[in-house]
Amino acid sequence: MLVDTLKKIVENTPNAAGAILMGFDGIAVMQYVAPESEDVDIESITMEFSFRFVELRRASLALDMGKVSDIMVKTETKTVLCRVLSDEYFVAVVLNDAGQMGKGRWMLRSTSTELESEL
Amino acid sequence: MLVDTLKKIVENTPNAAGAILMGFDGIAVMQYVAPESEDVDIESITMEFSFRFVELRRASLALDMGKVSDIMVKTETKTVLCRVLSDEYFVAVVLNDAGQMGKGRWMLRSTSTELESEL
């Protein structure tokens, strides 16, 4: 189940507020938010970012750098890790702290086959 | 000297093609390209990306996530690590391979005070 995979990402990533599977059109497929982070609107965050991610993907292709596979944005209060699953979808994990970024990236990578199989 | 700091970043980051200090208007201040990567147009790459970075910064502020401090974009052939130095400037290192991303990020972090003092 998709939600179980998202839950696994969140539970195995210290300080993760939530994980979400979303289309590059900004429409969420499924999300899981950690019980202690219910005030974090991960859908709004990833939706707003998704439009900018589309632009980064276009720029990468135009620059002959191939397809974008991963994007990370660290802000003062959050870190957003995004992994592209297909031309239409990406999975993202939103962290309340950047300390465990490596673990989050690894979780996205290790579950991507699982997520892709659900698309 | 600015160029020495950029050279230090490149020489201490395995697989780095080059490092560049750029304004968010896409205008390069200074760059250093590794001798073996002279075919990599790091100025065009970071210029194209800078316009998208501006949009990500706007989105972050609009979402009450504070200022963006770091952005990473990994594509099929390159990885671009960017660290925001001020409202106007950022430093970026372009890697030919993502293997040593951690070292690149650390180099940007450890030289940022040096670079900021030159602005």
Side-chain angles (χ1 to χ4, degrees):
Chain A
M1 291 277 288
L2 210 47
V3 70
D4 295 323
T5 309
L6 296 172
K7 190 176 175 190
K8 184 166 72 181
I9 293 169
V10 172
E11 289 181 344
N12 286 283
T13 305
N15 295 314
I20 191 164
L21 180 73
M22 183 173 267
F24 279 103
D25 55 3
I27 296 174
V29 178
M30 181 76 76
Q31 62 174 295
Y32 176 80
V33 177
E36 66 277 18
S37 296
E38 274 170 7
D39 58 317
V40 182
D41 187 353
I42 67 162
E43 186 173 349
S44 293
I45 293 170
T46 46
M47 186 186 69
E48 282 296 327
F49 277 22
S50 71
F51 308 134
R52 280 71 185 191
F53 292 166
V54 168
E55 292 299 317
L56 282 171
R57 295 172 88 200
R58 279 194 195 127
S60 175
L61 289 174
L63 290 158
D64 283 328
M65 291 164 68
K67 290 183 180 181
V68 170
S69 62
D70 300 85
I71 302 169
M72 181 278 291
V73 182
K74 184 177 179 312
T75 78
E76 281 177 276
T77 65
K78 298 275 181 291
T79 297
V80 181
L81 298 173
C82 154
R83 184 173 173 84
V84 178
L85 295 175
S86 70
D87 284 347
E88 284 83 31
Y89 296 99
F90 66 94
V91 57
V93 58
V94 177
L95 310 182
N96 286 317
D97 182 283
Q100 300 295 325
M101 199 183 297
K103 187 67 193 296
R105 205 149 53 94
W106 188 84
M107 282 309 297
L108 291 187
R109 198 151 296 179
S110 65
T111 56
S112 64
T113 314
E114 214 168 306
L115 291 168
E116 280 158 15
S117 73
E118 304 258 7
L119 293 177
Chain B
M1 291 275 289
L2 210 47
V3 71
D4 296 324
T5 309
L6 295 172
K7 191 177 175 188
K8 184 165 74 179
I9 293 170
V10 173
E11 290 180 344
N12 286 283
T13 305
N15 296 314
I20 191 164
L21 181 73
M22 184 174 265
F24 278 104
D25 55 4
I27 297 173
V29 177
M30 180 76 77
Q31 61 174 295
Y32 176 81
V33 177
E36 67 277 17
S37 296
E38 276 172 5
D39 57 316
V40 182
D41 186 354
I42 67 162
E43 186 172 348
S44 293
I45 294 171
T46 45
M47 185 187 69
E48 281 295 326
F49 277 22
S50 70
F51 308 134
R52 281 71 186 189
F53 293 167
V54 168
E55 291 299 318
L56 282 172
R57 295 170 88 200
R58 279 195 196 127
S60 176
L61 289 174
L63 289 158
D64 283 329
M65 291 164 67
K67 290 184 182 182
V68 170
S69 62
D70 299 84
I71 302 170
M72 182 278 291
V73 183
K74 183 178 180 311
T75 78
E76 281 176 275
T77 65
K78 298 276 181 291
T79 297
V80 180
L81 299 172
C82 154
R83 185 173 171 85
V84 178
L85 295 175
S86 70
D87 284 345
E88 283 84 29
Y89 295 100
F90 67 95
V91 57
V93 58
V94 177
L95 310 182
N96 287 317
D97 183 284
Q100 299 295 326
M101 199 183 297
K103 188 68 195 294
R105 205 148 53 93
W106 189 82
M107 281 308 297
L108 292 186
R109 198 151 295 179
S110 65
T111 57
S112 64
T113 314
E114 215 167 305
L115 291 168
E116 279 158 14
S117 73
E118 303 259 7
L119 293 177

